[in-house]
Amino acid sequence: MNNLERFKYILKTKFLFPWSWRMIGGFLYQLLDKDASQDNLEAIVNEHYKEILAFAKASGALATTGKGAISALPSKEQVVQLIR
């Protein structure tokens, strides 16, 4: 299984659960931060999938510790600190 297949598997199996929606913001942020587009998405995922998923998981974990929808969203610095 190559990196893209692993990434697709994780998206299909892990993002289907309600708690996983808290990870979507971090996931999308990473894609935007890496200037992902329809043309280069596969190359970006193959090169950075571990970093993208680590950021998404950390942002989701931090979001579950706060109250509210917007107020619970972590800053980039909080996510980076958790990953370290």
Side-chain angles (χ1 to χ4, degrees):
M1 184 181 294
N2 66 31
N3 291 343
L4 183 59
E5 290 170 346
R6 269 191 217 112
F7 193 73
K8 286 179 181 179
Y9 173 78
I10 290 169
L11 289 178
K12 288 178 184 176
T13 59
K14 305 297 182 196
F15 282 166
L16 296 178
F17 300 104
W19 52 263
S20 65
W21 289 104
R22 298 181 196 279
M23 296 171 34
I24 294 294
F27 172 76
L28 293 175
Y29 173 82
Q30 282 292 294
L31 291 180
L32 290 172
D33 192 49
K34 296 182 182 340
D35 294 323
S37 69
Q38 193 172 12
D39 298 329
N40 67 359
L41 183 61
E42 186 173 341
I44 287 176
V45 168
N46 276 326
E47 187 174 344
H48 302 285
Y49 81 98
K50 287 182 180 179
E51 178 185 347
I52 292 170
L53 290 176
F55 192 92
K57 290 187 304 185
S59 64
L62 287 169
T64 62
T65 64
K67 291 184 179 182
I70 301 301
S71 60
L73 295 176
S75 66
K76 180 180 178 182
E77 292 78 22
Q78 290 172 312
V79 175
V80 170
Q81 184 177 6
L82 181 62
I83 293 171
R84 289 183 187 163

